[in-house]
Amino acid sequence: MNQAATARLTGAIPTLASLSFEETIRFYGRLGFEVLHSDLTFLLLHRDGVRLSFWLTGNRRIPQATSCWLEVTGIAALYEQFNALAIVHRRGHLEAKPW
């Protein structure tokens, strides 16, 4: 069997910029993420098998220009949970999109 034909990617762990690991832990903790690892230069969080890693930066522009997509199930329930925490952007109403 051709190994190239069976090779495939099975996941990714985004590495995002953080201005403060303490603030990042507090915010993502409200979303249900827990700390897997934390040291002076690297932070790894997880929830429901999803992992997010962070590196520390002092440049505010980097995290402001960074994003990642998370695939979810039960989006309406998750939206309600996050909306109750007052973390949904005022223009972030849940709506169907073509993508």
Side-chain angles (χ1 to χ4, degrees), residues 10-77:
T10 61
I13 304 171
T15 303
L16 305 169
S18 170
L19 294 171
S20 162
F21 285 169
E22 293 80 18
E23 242 181 270
T24 299
I25 290 168
R26 271 195 306 276
F27 177 79
Y28 282 91
R30 293 178 69 203
L31 304 181
F33 282 83
E34 297 178 355
V35 177
L36 278 179
H37 176 81
S38 180
D39 62 33
L40 294 176
T41 62
F42 182 74
L43 172 65
L44 182 60
L45 305 177
H46 78 104
R47 174 188 167 164
D48 303 331
V50 171
R51 291 180 286 173
L52 299 175
S53 61
F54 296 86
W55 61 279
L56 210 50
T57 182
N59 185 341
R60 202 167 273 290
R61 290 177 160 184
I62 296 171
Q64 289 174 341
T66 304
S67 64
C68 76
W69 290 70
L70 299 176
E71 295 179 349
V72 304
T73 59
I75 188 66

